[in-house]
Amino acid sequence: MEVNASILISVGLAAIVVRSMRKFLDLPIRTPHLSRLLGYFWVPGLILYLFSLLIHWKTDRLDEIYTLFLLAMVVGVLVRVQHYRPARTLLLAVVPYALYALIELLSGALSTGFLHEYRSLFSNSQGFATIWLVTFVLIARKQKKQLEAERVVREAEEKERREIAAQNAQLERLVAERTSSLTQQTEELQHALEELKTTQAQLIQAEKMASLGELTAGIAHEIQNPLNFVTNFSDVSAELVQELEEEQQRPDRDHELEAELLADLRQNLQKITHHGQRAASIVRGMLEHSRASTGERQPTDLNVLADEYLRLAYHGLRAKDKTFNATLNTHFDPSLVKINAVAQDLGRVLLNLFTNAFYAVQKRKEASPPDFAPTVSVATRQLPNGSVEVRVRDNGTGIPASVRQKIFQPFFTTKPTGEGTGLGLSLSYDIVTKAHGGTLEVESEEGQGTEFIITLPA
């Protein structure tokens, strides 16, 4: 019965081996079917145990047979999962011990005397196989830990890659949205630019043809922008007023919100005023440049005309800025003959030149020491060939050489946005050169002043 009981002990040890092997090799994950089959390891042991009871056979060969079966089962499992590096190492560990057990079993079955004769050799072989087994089991454990560490690193790297991929996808989505937005804005700007070019071409053609109807149509298009701003800010202001009224009717009024609404309303009103003044400025410019004229040439005294428009320009600027003062110098040639010209058109030219001159000296005054004296001069002269000359000079900011050739182009201006349309000098140039057959030239030194020279045939 002691020998038979040893089979049950071997089954118990087999349970420990199977459980450890399942866990060590991750068999439920790698080979679920094989892992389930291993659960029947006890069946052969039970059969041998019952067989020994039935025939009353007491021999330690039954225990050796079951041990050999267990080793064969372990080798089979390791061969099945030998792609796993620790499994290959365990296979190297178990095979020598399994061969030893097989040889010992066969030797004992064939000749008991042979086994006793070479007991020392078998004992040494068993010890070597056992040391070999333990050594490679330790190596396999080390390999498994190394693989686990590598797996943890791979999972961390994979997680990082997934996070980076998600971030990249998010960035790509944001870039795509931003690109789409920029593309839409670009298309809108391109469309606006095309409309602006179309409007510019229309206005230039209107000026060339001197047609009041076409000029008014072009200016109406230009005035639409400030009018749109006024309309939009008015609508928004009305909504703010409604919100403010609703807030004031609440029992728990939010004074900070009311202050914020009032601040927004004040800002909108300022913008409405700004764009309203801009629209008014465009209208005034339209009226000045398209005022009805007979177009008939009449004898015109340039001395009287220049003096009249010089005072008009100066007092017009003083009405806007009472702190502005300038010295007016006039040098009129008493021998100047009258010329046949459209006095109203020439007056418009002189008004543009004087207005620009006062603007230039005012800007220089703002950036100069207190002792700077703004000065605008106008002089007339009878030329030997019978032509007359008018010079308008100022000691203002001057015109940079880089833009001097462009100042007579339509819509070109050196003034900040909103302070000039760029049409004044262009219109003046056309009136002098095309309508009266004269010349309009400019001499300027940046930071020192500018002089416009008008030459008209008698």
Side-chain angles (χ1 to χ4, degrees):
M1 292 299 293
E2 294 178 358
V3 174
N4 296 334
S6 66
I7 296 178
L8 298 179
I9 295 174
S10 297
V11 172
L13 293 176
I16 297 174
V17 172
V18 170
R19 182 176 180 276
S20 300
M21 188 168 58
R22 277 177 170 173
K23 182 178 180 182
F24 186 81
L25 298 177
D26 299 326
L27 293 180
I29 297 176
R30 298 181 185 276
T31 56
H33 180 68
L34 184 60
S35 179
R36 286 192 296 271
L37 289 178
L38 284 177
Y40 298 99
F41 69 91
W42 53 270
V43 174
L46 181 61
I47 292 174
L48 290 174
Y49 177 74
L50 294 176
F51 179 73
S52 67
L53 291 178
L54 291 174
I55 65 175
H56 303 286
W57 186 22
K58 298 180 182 180
T59 175
D60 56 356
R61 295 300 173 200
L62 295 177
D63 183 48
E64 292 177 357
I65 290 172
Y66 183 73
T67 301
L68 186 61
F69 164 76
L70 180 63
L71 290 173
M73 181 182 64
V74 170
V75 170
V77 172
L78 293 176
V79 171
R80 181 69 176 79
V81 293
Q82 61 178 328
H83 58 276
Y84 184 46
R85 189 168 64 180
R88 293 197 300 270
T89 304
L90 286 179
L91 186 60
L92 291 175
V94 173
V95 166
Y97 195 88
L99 290 176
Y100 162 77
L102 177 63
I103 293 172
E104 184 183 25
L105 180 63
L106 293 175
S107 298
L110 294 175
S111 174
T112 307
F114 178 81
L115 188 61
H116 285 291
E117 182 180 355
Y118 293 97
R119 172 56 60 185
S120 176
L121 177 62
F122 278 98
S123 297
N124 292 335
S125 298
Q126 185 181 18
F128 174 77
T130 303
I131 294 174
W132 180 278
L133 176 65
V134 173
T135 301
F136 275 86
V137 167
L138 294 176
I139 293 175
R141 286 186 61 189
K142 184 177 181 181
Q143 289 177 343
K144 181 175 176 63
K145 290 181 179 180
Q146 183 179 359
L147 290 176
E148 284 295 321
E150 293 176 354
R151 181 184 62 82
V152 171
V153 172
R154 285 197 304 272
E155 290 179 352
E157 292 177 349
E158 181 64 24
K159 181 179 179 181
E160 185 178 358
R161 281 196 296 268
R162 288 196 299 267
E163 291 177 353
I164 292 175
Q167 292 176 357
N168 289 338
Q170 178 71 6
L171 289 176
E172 289 177 359
R173 184 182 65 81
L174 294 176
V175 169
E177 293 178 356
R178 185 59 177 167
T179 302
S180 176
S181 176
L182 291 176
T183 301
Q184 182 179 359
Q185 293 178 5
T186 301
E187 292 176 354
E188 292 176 355
L189 290 175
Q190 184 66 29
H191 180 67
L193 180 60
E194 292 175 357
E195 289 186 351
L196 182 60
K197 289 181 178 179
T198 302
T199 303
Q200 180 177 354
Q202 291 175 352
L203 286 175
I204 293 175
Q205 183 64 24
E207 296 303 328
K208 289 181 178 180
M209 297 178 64
S211 171
L212 177 60
E214 293 183 2
L215 179 61
T216 304
I219 295 296
H221 185 90
E222 287 294 315
I223 205 175
Q224 191 63 43
N225 286 334
L227 291 180
N228 286 339
F229 277 110
V230 171
T231 301
N232 293 337
F233 283 117
S234 298
D235 294 339
V236 174
S237 298
E239 295 176 0
L240 291 175
V241 170
Q242 183 178 358
E243 292 182 16
L244 183 59
E245 291 175 347
E246 293 175 354
E247 185 64 28
Q248 289 177 342
Q249 293 175 359
R250 293 180 180 177
D252 53 341
R253 294 170 56 180
D254 188 343
H255 295 288
E256 293 184 359
L257 178 60
E258 292 181 6
E260 183 179 350
L261 292 174
L262 288 173
D264 292 342
L265 184 60
R266 184 182 300 106
Q267 184 179 8
N268 286 353
L269 292 176
Q270 291 174 352
K271 292 180 179 179
I272 291 173
T273 301
H274 171 73
H275 292 290
Q277 292 175 348
R278 174 64 181 152
S281 175
I282 294 174
V283 171
R284 285 196 301 270
M286 178 186 69
L287 293 176
E288 290 177 359
H289 292 294
S290 60
R291 188 174 298 155
S293 173
T294 60
E296 296 180 0
R297 295 174 179 266
Q298 297 178 351
T300 303
D301 189 340
L302 285 182
N303 289 338
V304 175
L305 196 65
D307 185 65
E308 175 184 350
Y309 278 95
L310 176 64
R311 310 299 172 186
L312 178 62
Y314 180 65
H315 292 297
L317 183 59
R318 286 271 298 165
K320 298 178 182 178
D321 183 5
K322 298 186 179 300
T323 63
F324 175 75
N325 289 291
T327 301
L328 306 182
N329 292 330
T330 57
H331 304 281
F332 298 134
D333 186 353
S335 62
L336 192 70
V337 299
K338 292 184 178 181
I339 61 171
N340 287 326
V342 182
Q344 192 173 16
D345 291 345
L346 288 182
R348 198 175 308 160
V349 172
L350 292 172
L351 183 62
N352 285 332
L353 297 182
F354 293 145
T355 301
N356 289 341
F358 286 125
Y359 179 85
V361 298
Q362 184 183 29
K363 289 300 179 182
R364 185 178 177 185
K365 174 66 175 178
E366 294 174 356
S368 298
D371 58 349
F372 172 74
T375 304
V376 175
S377 304
V378 56
T380 60
R381 185 174 60 144
Q382 184 74 45
L383 299 179
N385 61 1
S387 300
V388 296
E389 180 185 81
V390 181
R391 291 177 175 263
V392 178
R393 181 174 181 80
D394 64 73
N395 61 346
T397 55
I399 303 174
S402 58
V403 301
R404 206 168 295 159
Q405 301 298 324
K406 303 177 183 179
I407 61 173
F408 296 123
Q409 295 178 5
F411 302 102
F412 178 82
T413 178
T414 58
K415 297 178 181 179
T417 303
E419 294 189 14
T421 61
L423 288 174
L425 288 178
S426 173
L427 288 170
S428 300
Y429 185 82
D430 287 345
I431 291 173
V432 172
T433 59
K434 297 179 180 179
H436 290 83
T439 61
L440 178 57
E441 301 174 349
V442 60
E443 296 177 358
S444 182
E445 183 177 354
E446 188 174 2
Q448 299 298 320
T450 303
E451 184 175 34
F452 285 91
I453 306 170
I454 301 174
T455 303
L456 296 171

